[in-house]
Amino acid sequence: MDTSSSGTGGDDGIWRLHRETVRPEWVDYNGHMNVAYYVLIFDHATDAALDRLDIGEAYRGRSGCSVFVAEAHVTYEREVQDGQEVEIATRVLGFDGKRLILYHEMTSPDEDGLVASNEVLCLHVDLDARRTAPLPADAASRLAAAAEAHARLDPPLRAGRAISLGSRRAR
């Protein structure tokens, strides 16, 4: 069951805009939520953040532009099972006029600590041209303010990670 909320965040300045409950059909043969559904929940949280910034679905309808995810990184820390509620804490890590980086952390009242994290690079896209385009000044101002406010927080430990096997490098 979806239990999305429209809250703005806690006293720490991090946005808490989305919650969901793990559905039985999301649980795989290992007895925990399948990786695809972590990404689905994080995508719902991305939509909530874009709506909060007024560059979500309503913006697409009135502007002919949208925001696409171009890259994503997910870490999995703890299992969650059928019926568990999860909450997503979101912040804007960066913004440059056409691109933004959102960072999400998933927690559950049934688990101690972080369940999973997700970092996404989003592109502002003109839907007619199917190309990136600068955000309008009002949206850019909202994004810049959010990025500045979230930059005052301690940086998230899992942001900016890359997949690696230690010192192995491509040649």
Side-chain angles (χ1 to χ4, degrees):
M1 161 176 34
D2 182 46
T3 56
S4 301
S5 71
S6 60
T8 58
D11 294 337
D12 57 6
I14 296 172
W15 298 343
R16 288 172 179 78
L17 304 173
H18 189 73
R19 260 185 244 134
E20 283 195 47
T21 300
V22 177
R23 300 174 187 184
E25 62 269 23
W26 294 355
V27 175
D28 64 19
Y29 58 81
N30 291 313
H32 57 220
M33 185 166 65
N34 181 273
V35 297
Y37 298 103
Y38 286 85
V39 174
L40 177 70
I41 292 171
F42 283 131
D43 189 52
H44 292 164
T46 295
D47 288 342
L50 296 176
D51 286 344
R52 159 86 187 248
L53 292 161
D54 196 25
I55 55 173
E57 186 175 4
Y59 170 77
R60 182 194 50 78
R62 70 178 183 271
S63 72
C65 294
S66 191
V67 176
F68 292 2
V69 171
E71 185 173 339
H73 188 172
V74 181
T75 66
Y76 304 93
E77 306 293 329
R78 289 182 171 65
E79 299 174 294
V80 289
Q81 283 84 32
D82 177 23
Q84 278 189 259
E85 184 178 69
V86 294
E87 179 180 59
I88 310 302
T90 300
R91 57 171 107 177
V92 178
L93 291 187
F95 163 70
D96 74 359
K98 291 182 182 179
R99 301 175 300 173
L100 65 134
I101 297 173
L102 295 175
Y103 177 78
H104 304 293
E105 288 189 342
M106 180 184 293
T107 58
S108 174
D110 299 327
E111 296 296 327
D112 182 28
L114 186 67
V115 169
S117 68
N118 174 237
E119 187 172 9
V120 292
L121 172 67
C122 302
L123 307 176
H124 182 254
V125 174
D126 177 313
L127 292 174
D128 288 332
R130 305 307 274 193
R131 296 262 187 232
T132 59
L135 277 151
D138 61 332
S141 177
R142 286 189 301 278
L143 261 164
E148 182 181 319
H150 290 156
R152 292 187 202 112
L153 304 170
D154 290 336
L157 296 175
R158 286 162 184 80
R161 293 175 63 157
I163 296 174
S164 171
L165 294 176
S167 63
R168 185 181 137 236
R169 301 248 185 231
R171 296 175 202 235

